[in-house]
Amino acid sequence: MSVAELARHEPPGVPRARMMLQRAHWAATAFARYDNERVWRIVEAVAERAYADAEEFGEWAVRETGMGVAEHKRVKNELCSKGIVEAYRGQDFAGPRIDASRKLLELPHPAGVVFALAPSTNPVSTINFKILLSLMTRNAIVVSPHPLARECCVEAARRLAAAAVRAGAPDGAVQVVEEPTIPLIESLMADETTDVILATGGTAVVRAAYRSGNPAIGVGPGNVPALVDATADLAAAARKLIDSKAFDNSILCTNESVAIVEESVAAVFAKELQKAGGHVLDETEVEQVRERLFPAGRIRLDLLGKDASALAAAAELRVPQGTRVLVAPFALAVPEEPLAREKLFPLLGLVTVPDVQRGIQTAQAVLRIGGAGHSAVIHSRNPRAIMAYGVAVPVLRVAVNVGGSTGSAGFDTALAPSMTIGTGFYGRSSVAENLEPAHLVQWTRVAYASDRSVPFDEFEGIDPWSALPDARAAVTRASANGDATDPRDADLVREEIRRIVVEELRELVGR
Amino acid sequence: MYDYGFFSYSSKEDMLERSRAFWNPNKTDFWQESGIDLVIDRREGYLFWDMDGRRLIDIHLNGGTYNLGHRNPELIATLEQAMQRFDIGNHHFPALARTALAEALVATCAPNMRRVIYGSGGGEAIDIAIKTARHTRGCRKIVSIAKAYHGHTGLAVGTGDDRFSKLFLADRPDEFVQVPFNDLEAMEEALRGRDVAAVIMETIPATYGFPLPEPGYLRAVKDLCERYDALYIADEVQTGLMRTGEMWGIAKAGVEPDILVIGKGITGGLYPIACVVVSEECSGWLKEDGFGHISTGGGAELGCVVALKVIEICGRPEVRSMVHYISDRFQSGLRAIQDLYPDWLVGIRQDGVVIGLEFDHPTGAKLVMKHLYANGVWAIFSTLDPRVLQYKPGILLGPELVDEILDRTEVAVAAAYAEVFRTPSRRLVTA
Ligand SMILES: Cc1ncc(COP(=O)(O)O)c(C=O)c1O
């Protein structure tokens, strides 16, 4: 297809958005030369801004998307601002690494232009998270919000962009697509100026990211099994499950989908669930839930991120005051069972199993339906059970005796605190870990001969970009818009160089 | 066989021969003699290919015509879409696209600007500007800058170098006064008689090699115009459309012109029109006798639709940002070349991506042009000061192409240096 034909078929807004990528590309070339101190000055300022606005955007996101709990979104926004910065403060993704023992010098290279998608479920927290990760690693980023959360995301990204530039980031280092559409996003994902795509969202968008031809870090959906065995502290387990399931009305991929409980403790556990704010449904109620919340077997999208009382009302159920989670027992985790699928609202499936081994099989069955590679939870005090569960269940992180919502996202475990959960090969993704800054920077490895007689060199104290004078290093904006230095100085220097060069030339010609 | 579908040539020689025979023998030969055997074939972005297949980077851009690149896909798409409904329109009637563009253009200008008059090219637009000034002021004299260039139409040619006016017996020294650039005394002298209709100025004189106005000079000229009742015509044909980092270069100088002339890049090299934006005061004839200037192709509506898109693109914040990055990179890259050849590349004149490179040789720029051409870059010397190369990169360049241009420039500068000074180039010596 010719350029003209391509353009004619381009969806509206695409050419302008391509220009954002080009601007980001320029910004990235400048950003790549920043040292770690300048980088962190920017990161801290941006995190500060995001933290200060956490509450406002928590409320805004709920208002705009109709999903989740403002207060919990505030917490997520805070975790994804100061929380993230605290997790990585002191780290250096900009300076050389010297390993004298292996005679290796490693030099960091940012990806360049990051094209990042944010989902409607965790809109602003994801925006904060991806922007901060990009800035830590000296990448320019163009974020594209989910259309359902467009307004809050655009405003949040704009504010962070302004804060970044004010703190010294290159102009255009943070930009936001203001009118995202699916064809537009697909064009930007495939654009040759995009260096890496960070795709968080539905399966369709993640698959599109991988199809784009550009490097992509996309993560699949979750469908989290939570095994509660007979050794578990049942009261604590129930509390954590309910808290996690109620958190932000379940509108995160790490929240528990199906609790699997050993038969011997099932009755006690059900009572504990009830105490913690769960309402365990009887058979007719479960049938009502299936019918009303999953008409024709499909989850009702209008109920995503709504609270338990809204779900109860929709299912025409009477539930006790203070119910935070509906708990729906069912027998068999199979594809046609809607209760066995990912439920982004506070409805928890409950399966009772004779023993841990059957519990593991049920967890596997749950993950066959969806969520492979994502996350699982176990409440247990038996290391053998934990080990067996960890190896048999096809996920890449298991949260132990904590709620999945924050545990798998790394906010109260040693996992990397993240809004983007790598689902690895199981989940058709290129990353297995929680997304972290290291994913956005690659290293040139400068390697010496291993031969013992070959010495390594001393690199300590050499700044990569000023190791030699660089002719084309971008002059600062200040000098481009009116010289900050005295031009007479520059003239003197030039005069001097001129003299030396002329002398050199004379020598050469004379020879 | 070179078969282009619409026409064909058996060889490049055949093409050049027929060019001499049927088009312009002297111009055809001039380029062959200058070592530029260019016949432009395919074009795309900031690249074009000679008919022999050689790839060249265009940093001449026809004086900014291809500011947004050759065959910019957005502009092509716009034009194609426009053709589904419009043609050039009828120049006598109120017209949809002409009016829409006029409104958009006025919005980009200083607040004193009111209306737009259309021509089909820059020269005609300059003629319109001069006619408008004369009508407004009721006198004939026009003051311009010696070595200025405003086009070759009837009145415009009078403002320029007499090489072009004398050729056609069109020089009228009594009506067209010229003063040196950056010389306020001479300007005041020319205006003192209060018989001048307008001063016409390129914001940075292109064909003269982009000598930069001294700080405050343009502002002071405008003040003199006000003192002596002359109008100020800003020729923004080459300095407009973000090339200096602002939509109109004259705004950077803090001058509100009475008349502003726009051409070249406004239609991206696809469907040429030119525009004259005028103040209320200069709108007189448009109310008195609107048929005063007639031009069938002036403001052709297809061109107007493209121009609207050009204005929209140039107004994007992304573009503003990129112009800064691009000019920063050229600034540091060109300085580095100058540091290698300080006695050869003796001056860098730069405002945004409007750049003149001054070489210490009476025809230095022609030599560098030749070597640039041999090294895959097309840039043109300044006709009216052949020491200076016009170096006019586009405003949508990426860092890779900028670096490539700078690499090629360094080699060409070195080769030209070697040719002039008959020494091995520094680059070859040090390599
Ligand atoms: C500054 C300036 N004004 C006016 C013109 C005339 O434009 P045109 O060639 O479209 O008549 C030119 C053309 O080079 C120019 O550079």
Side-chain angles (χ1 to χ4, degrees), chain A residues 157-319:
Chain A
R158 272 202 206 125
R159 287 191 203 172
L160 300 191
V165 169
R166 227 176 297 120
D171 178 57
V174 176
Q175 299 174 74
V176 56
V177 176
E178 300 193 1
E179 302 287 348
T181 61
I182 286 166
L184 186 144
I185 289 165
E186 289 192 334
S187 305
L188 296 192
M189 289 198 299
D191 193 290
E192 59 183 23
T193 310
T194 295
D195 289 302
V196 63
I197 304 162
L198 297 184
T200 316
T203 308
V205 94
V206 173
R207 292 334 309 160
Y210 278 113
R211 256 198 322 273
S212 70
N214 275 322
I217 300 178
V219 299
N223 188 29
V224 182
L227 179 63
V228 181
D229 77 2
T231 68
D233 175 342
L234 296 177
R239 212 175 340 102
K240 284 177 179 156
L241 253 170
I242 296 298
D243 282 351
S244 176
K245 191 65 197 163
F247 185 70
D248 207 14
N249 290 339
S250 287
I251 199 79
L252 355 60
C253 53
T254 46
N255 84 82
E256 290 83 347
S257 176
V258 179
I260 303 161
V261 61
E262 244 187 297
E263 202 164 15
S264 59
V265 294
V268 184
F269 183 60
K271 286 212 185 76
E272 294 294 347
L273 284 174
Q274 209 89 27
K275 265 197 249 168
H279 173 67
V280 183
L281 309 171
D282 64 24
E283 246 172 79
T284 48
E285 287 174 325
V286 168
E287 205 37 54
Q288 241 167 294
V289 161
R290 278 204 194 87
E291 263 171 35
R292 303 269 153 78
L293 305 193
F294 302 89
R298 292 249 174 80
I299 193 163
R300 267 181 60 185
L301 296 175
D302 60 322
L303 293 175
L304 299 187
K306 296 284 192 281
D307 65 13
S309 62
L311 298 189
E316 291 170 36
L317 294 176
R318 300 175 66 77
V319 297

Side-chain angles (χ1 to χ4, degrees), chain B residues 62-63 120-124 126 149-153 202 206-207 235-238 261 263-264 274:
Chain B
N62 296 17
S120 47
E124 185 190 345
I126 296 289
Y149 185 95
H150 299 286
H152 282 185
T153 46
E202 289 175 80
T207 313
D235 181 344
E236 284 279 328
V237 169
Q238 291 223 23
V261 181
K264 292 194 192 273

Side-chain angles (χ1 to χ4, degrees), chain A residues 453-472:
Chain A
S453 66
V454 179
F456 191 51
D457 283 308
E458 179 58 58
F459 292 104
E460 214 61 63
I462 303 177
D463 170 59
W465 287 111
S466 56
L468 290 176
D470 183 353
R472 294 200 192 141

Side-chain angles (χ1 to χ4, degrees), chain A residues 8 16 25 171 472 480 505, chain B residues 80 321 325 328 400 407 417:
Chain A
R8 190 167 42 207
R16 163 91 196 269
H25 184 40
D171 178 57
R472 294 200 192 141
L505 278 174
Chain B
E80 286 186 341
S321 176
Y325 278 119
D328 278 10
E400 292 77 13
D407 288 347
Y417 177 87

Side-chain angles (χ1 to χ4, degrees), chain A residues 2-10 15-17 19-31 33 169-173 175-176 470-481 483 490 493-494 497-499 501-502 504-505 508-509, chain B residues 44 68 71-74 76-77 80 312-313 316-322 324-329 331-333 335-344 346 360 396-400 402-404 406-408 410 417 423-426 429-430:
Chain A
S2 73
V3 180
E5 277 171 276
L6 268 177
R8 190 167 42 207
H9 296 293
E10 274 201 327
R16 163 91 196 269
M19 235 172 224
M20 297 175 66
L21 295 176
Q22 286 164 14
R23 180 187 188 188
H25 184 40
W26 272 108
T29 58
F31 209 4
R33 289 158 181 260
D171 178 57
Q175 299 174 74
V176 56
D470 183 353
R472 294 200 192 141
V475 287
T476 60
R477 176 54 54 76
S479 65
N481 292 345
D483 224 325
V493 172
R494 200 162 312 135
I497 293 170
R498 188 188 182 113
R499 196 184 52 73
V501 170
V502 171
E504 263 180 49
L505 278 174
L508 278 171
V509 176
Chain B
E44 193 165 317
L68 303 179
R71 301 178 55 254
N72 179 298
E74 276 193 81
I76 291 182
E80 286 186 341
E312 187 263 315
I313 293 174
R316 293 175 187 167
E318 294 80 20
V319 171
R320 174 176 297 267
S321 176
M322 283 194 280
H324 281 290
Y325 278 119
I326 295 164
S327 49
D328 278 10
R329 186 79 146 213
Q331 185 185 341
S332 45
R335 270 194 195 165
I337 296 173
Q338 186 176 41
D339 289 342
L340 277 178
Y341 303 96
D343 53 345
W344 173 225
V346 292
D360 191 15
L396 303 181
L397 282 165
E400 292 77 13
V402 171
D403 280 355
E404 189 185 327
L406 286 166
D407 288 347
R408 291 174 185 273
E410 188 177 321
Y417 177 87
T423 72
S425 78
R426 264 189 72 68
V429 170
T430 50

Side-chain angles (χ1 to χ4, degrees), chain B residues 92-242:
Chain B
H92 289 311
F93 289 96
L96 297 166
R98 264 191 288 277
T99 302
L101 176 61
E103 200 171 339
L105 281 175
V106 166
T108 67
C109 293
N112 65 325
M113 288 307 198
R114 282 290 175 281
R115 290 188 181 78
V116 177
I117 310 156
Y118 292 106
S120 47
E124 185 190 345
I126 296 289
D127 282 10
I128 294 170
I130 291 172
K131 296 203 295 188
T132 301
R134 285 176 167 180
H135 176 270
T136 305
R137 279 287 182 263
C139 52
R140 279 174 200 274
K141 239 189 221 173
I142 301 293
V143 174
S144 61
I145 297 300
K147 306 278 183 194
Y149 185 95
H150 299 286
H152 282 185
T153 46
L155 298 174
V157 76
T159 64
D161 201 71
D162 62 13
R163 168 181 162 194
F164 303 117
S165 48
K166 286 201 164 131
L167 183 64
F168 300 111
L169 316 180
D171 54 318
R172 273 172 282 186
D174 47 325
E175 289 178 22
F176 292 93
V177 181
Q178 299 195 348
V179 300
F181 190 55
N182 273 334
D183 184 340
L184 282 170
E185 271 173 42
M187 182 62 80
E188 179 153 17
E189 197 48 47
L191 296 177
R192 209 187 297 280
R194 294 183 192 275
D195 58 347
V196 172
V199 172
I200 181 165
M201 301 271 284
E202 289 175 80
T203 302
I204 311 170
T207 313
Y208 192 16
F210 295 122
L212 296 180
E214 275 162 17
Y217 171 69
L218 296 175
R219 178 69 249 172
V221 170
K222 176 70 166 85
D223 289 343
L224 288 174
C225 286
E226 281 168 18
R227 175 153 357 129
Y228 297 111
D229 300 325
L231 296 166
Y232 186 107
I233 303 173
D235 181 344
E236 284 279 328
V237 169
Q238 291 223 23
T239 45
L241 300 169
M242 292 308 289

